[in-house]
Amino acid sequence: MGISKSLYINGMQCPKLLWLSKHRKGDESVFAPDASLEAVFERGNEVGDLACELFKGGERIEWEGTSFDEKIAGTKELIERGVRYIYEATFSFGGALIMVDILEVCADGSLVINEVKSSTSVSPVYMDDTAFQYFVLTSLGYNVKAVNLIHLNSEYVRGDELDLKALFASEDLTENAKEQFNNVRENIAHFERILELPNEPECDIDMHCYEPYTCGAFEYCWAGVAQGSVFDIGSKLGVRFYKKDKFALWHSGVRYIDEITDISAFPSYQQIQLKAHKEKSRILNANAVREFLATLSYPLYHLDFETFQSAVPLWRGAKPYEQTPFEYSLHIDKGDGSKPEHKEFLPTEFCDPRRALALSLVRDIPKGVCSLAYNAQFEKGVLKRLAELFPDLSEHLMDIHDNMKDLMEPFAKRDFYDWRQNGSYSIKKIQPILAPSIDDGYKAMASRGEISNGGEAMNAFPAFATMSSEQIAKKRKELLAYCGLDTLAMVKVLEGLKELVK
């Protein structure tokens, strides 16, 4: 087959990605295995299967064990037989191949394309996707009456049962598909010429590396971009330095921070980074750090949540892609030099963890005390949502929310900046500098193949659903250790900050 729908979308993003996807597919030096991408596919399949229930009584073209020619012949046979709904209906025109998620065959023989996406909105890339499908079917002589994009409704709140009609929203993209018809034909011809090239086309890095998705060959194309490039220039919290501005520098020939001759043209918060980088130095605004430390009171409750997202809401009161907290770690520093007390929460099975977590939290954190998080907006968002869900706990949860300080503040404001941060103020960049002893813990976890980063932690709890009790016990131990190390890192970073300004 010539150009599949996925190849067409890759071609719309980048000609090099198109060529690599065809000629270097499966080459791990180009497309490294990506667990997060696999999770996206799984999520798409789950949402797609649910959407099929809105169009009941259809027949599916099986993916496994059949060739594309057999799929195409099977689709034709079902249409002729008068089957109203066909899932994964397969067609080819001039080498362009499509599989329609849900094809409706109307009584008059006309067709309706229903494309299903697991997102909560309509992206321009979905318009390219559906226009490609419309082109193939129309070119084959079919009368396509409508093109619909079915996606998750971001406003949906689940009751006791899942309401599929309320869970999904539909957008009519018919007019766009018609308008794009000639463009699609020209694109296909252009992409076919690219695929015939003996070598990958030259294509410099640019915004297309990120849009509409972060490219699957990103590491391959960016291998020549070393640390200290203009892409490491960071932003201040609430003030963006856009990727397009960094690419403007790159394409003008200024590719590394050391090549910037006049740092005065940059905002003051970036001047701090550029100066520190050039001098390989550290910059400290001791008075500002002392002012931040003076806002903290003891006992101090260092808090970190672990959350996961589900495209389809699993429990009452949940929304699509809502951050659901399932674990927390709490290090309590009395401020008297004693070893911090540690408390934690994590269920022993996959279940709705929200109320049990909220109850545990209000037991562990008294009203009126000062709590501390790193990037506290996230923790505050979780607390506020829990307060909405459980009115009887709302006053206490919002007290924790209102008395929370953000350990990220002095780093985001660049009151402390070390050139080794490379423009970032995430705790994973700060901790090795101010609390290097913690590094050994994370490295040991990674070397043993245990949970050692936030992405792995996020995926671990929902995986309990398919694990044996022994597997859960092992993974639960890893989760507790990882989250516990995160709050211990906060304790040590704060100690390091205090040492600097003694």
Side-chain angles (χ1 to χ4, degrees):
M1 289 295 174
I3 294 184
S4 65
K5 188 173 71 170
S6 61
L7 275 178
Y8 181 82
I9 296 303
N10 287 348
M12 293 298 289
Q13 180 165 354
C14 171
K16 188 174 182 179
L17 174 61
L18 169 70
W19 193 95
L20 291 169
S21 299
K22 182 79 170 181
H23 297 286
R24 301 284 295 275
K25 188 179 180 181
D27 184 341
E28 291 191 2
S29 68
V30 178
F31 299 103
D34 187 342
S36 62
L37 199 60
E38 290 170 21
V40 170
F41 288 137
E42 283 179 26
R43 189 163 63 224
N45 291 337
E46 177 195 9
V47 171
D49 290 344
L50 277 176
C52 287
E53 293 183 29
L54 293 172
F55 303 86
K56 287 192 171 180
E59 295 198 32
R60 182 176 296 277
I61 300 298
E62 290 305 322
W63 173 257
E64 299 288 344
T66 55
S67 68
F68 281 116
D69 286 341
E70 289 170 317
K71 290 177 177 54
I72 291 164
T75 301
K76 188 179 179 187
E77 188 264 324
L78 291 178
I79 291 173
E80 290 170 353
R81 187 146 52 85
V83 173
R84 185 173 179 188
Y85 299 119
I86 305 171
Y87 317 130
E88 303 297 338
T90 309
F91 302 89
S92 177
F93 172 76
L97 175 75
I98 61 167
M99 297 182 76
V100 181
D101 287 338
I102 302 169
L103 184 75
E104 181 177 359
V105 184
C106 303
D108 62 1
S110 63
L111 304 179
V112 176
I113 294 170
N114 293 293
E115 176 68 11
V116 182
K117 297 296 181 186
S118 58
S119 73
T120 56
S121 61
V122 180
S123 160
V125 69
Y126 301 156
M127 294 185 172
D128 293 331
D129 181 324
T130 49
F132 182 71
Q133 295 181 51
Y134 176 86
F135 171 83
V136 170
L137 286 175
T138 305
S139 299
L140 287 169
Y142 291 104
N143 172 23
V144 180
K145 188 164 69 174
V147 180
N148 300 320
L149 185 93
I150 297 169
H151 62 87
L152 295 170
N153 173 13
S154 61
E155 300 302 311
Y156 173 68
V157 179
R158 177 171 174 154
D160 289 329
E161 301 296 327
L162 203 58
D163 180 348
L164 292 183
K165 285 185 178 176
L167 173 64
F168 287 103
S170 181
E171 303 281 344
D172 187 339
L173 301 184
T174 312
E175 288 308 309
N176 173 75
K178 289 177 178 177
E179 289 168 8
Q180 293 296 324
F181 188 87
N182 289 330
N183 290 343
V184 173
R185 178 164 49 206
E186 290 168 13
N187 289 337
I188 289 171
H190 176 54
F191 296 162
E192 284 174 340
R193 289 193 294 272
I194 290 170
L195 291 174
E196 288 169 3
L197 295 172
N199 300 304
E200 64 190 64
E202 288 291 323
C203 191
D204 200 357
I205 57 174
D206 210 319
M207 289 300 293
H208 60 252
C209 298
Y210 298 95
E211 296 173 349
Y213 310 112
T214 299
C215 175
F218 188 93
E219 299 297 334
Y220 174 78
C221 293
W222 283 64
V225 181
Q227 193 168 291
S229 77
V230 291
F231 300 107
D232 287 336
I233 300 175
S235 298
K236 188 177 181 181
L237 190 63
V239 183
R240 298 288 298 275
F241 183 51
Y242 291 99
K243 288 188 179 80
K244 63 180 176 59
D245 299 316
K246 300 178 188 183
F247 280 115
L249 284 170
W250 179 265
H251 294 307
S252 73
V254 179
R255 300 197 160 190
Y256 289 90
I257 291 171
D258 288 334
E259 295 170 354
I260 297 172
T261 52
D262 179 15
I263 69 170
S264 66
F266 290 80
S268 58
Y269 66 90
Q270 286 176 345
Q271 289 181 33
I272 291 170
Q273 178 192 350
L274 300 178
K275 182 174 186 292
H277 181 91
K278 286 172 176 288
E279 296 173 354
K280 301 294 181 279
S281 66
R282 172 181 293 177
I283 293 171
L284 176 69
N285 183 343
N287 286 335
V289 171
R290 288 190 192 101
E291 284 175 17
F292 167 75
L293 294 174
T295 67
L296 308 179
S297 60
Y298 291 83
L300 186 59
Y301 289 71
H302 297 259
L303 176 64
D304 182 55
F305 288 120
E306 296 298 338
T307 64
F308 79 101
Q309 291 179 307
S310 174
V312 178
L314 299 174
W315 302 297
R316 182 178 180 81
K319 300 176 182 179
Y321 293 108
E322 185 175 344
Q323 295 283 3
T324 301
F326 61 86
E327 177 182 16
Y328 68 76
S329 173
L330 195 62
H331 270 89
I332 306 164
D333 182 359
K334 295 183 178 68
D336 58 5
S338 62
K339 183 181 177 184
E341 182 185 358
H342 183 240
K343 296 189 177 185
E344 60 195 5
F345 172 88
L346 177 62
T348 55
E349 62 180 357
F350 185 64
C351 59
D352 181 353
R354 296 169 298 171
R355 182 161 180 87
L357 180 143
L359 283 166
S360 180
L361 196 64
V362 298
R363 281 195 299 268
D364 286 345
I365 304 181
K367 285 184 184 178
V369 301
C370 183
S371 59
L372 191 66
Y374 202 96
N375 189 14
Q377 285 307 112
F378 180 80
E379 267 68 23
K380 282 187 166 187
V382 170
L383 287 163
K384 191 173 181 183
R385 187 73 182 111
L386 289 171
E388 291 168 359
L389 288 168
F390 307 115
D392 59 320
L393 304 175
S394 176
E395 184 189 351
H396 196 142
L397 289 166
M398 288 309 293
D399 182 88
I400 298 169
H401 171 283
D402 295 343
N403 287 297
M404 180 172 280
K405 304 293 183 183
D406 195 342
L407 181 55
M408 189 172 77
E409 184 182 313
F411 305 105
K413 289 181 174 177
R414 296 258 165 91
D415 294 328
F416 170 92
Y417 185 80
D418 186 292
W419 70 277
R420 291 170 290 177
Q421 291 172 226
N422 288 313
S424 170
Y425 46 80
S426 80
I427 194 165
K428 291 296 188 281
K429 288 287 188 181
I430 301 295
Q431 169 266 311
I433 297 165
L434 290 185
S437 62
I438 297 293
D439 248 15
D440 293 338
Y442 288 117
K443 286 174 182 172
M445 289 171 176
S447 68
R448 293 192 297 265
E450 297 171 358
I451 292 167
S452 60
N453 64 60
E456 292 169 352
M458 184 174 65
N459 294 329
F461 180 63
F464 281 14
T466 57
M467 290 181 178
S468 67
S469 55
E470 292 82 6
Q471 289 171 320
I472 289 174
K474 179 180 180 296
K475 197 54 69 176
R476 187 172 180 275
K477 188 177 176 183
E478 290 179 22
L479 271 170
L480 290 170
Y482 171 75
C483 194
L485 198 58
D486 276 356
T487 47
L488 183 60
M490 287 167 56
V491 172
K492 297 297 182 185
V493 164
L494 185 60
E495 288 176 1
L497 206 54
K498 287 177 182 176
E499 281 297 316
L500 288 175
V501 296
K502 261 188 176 178

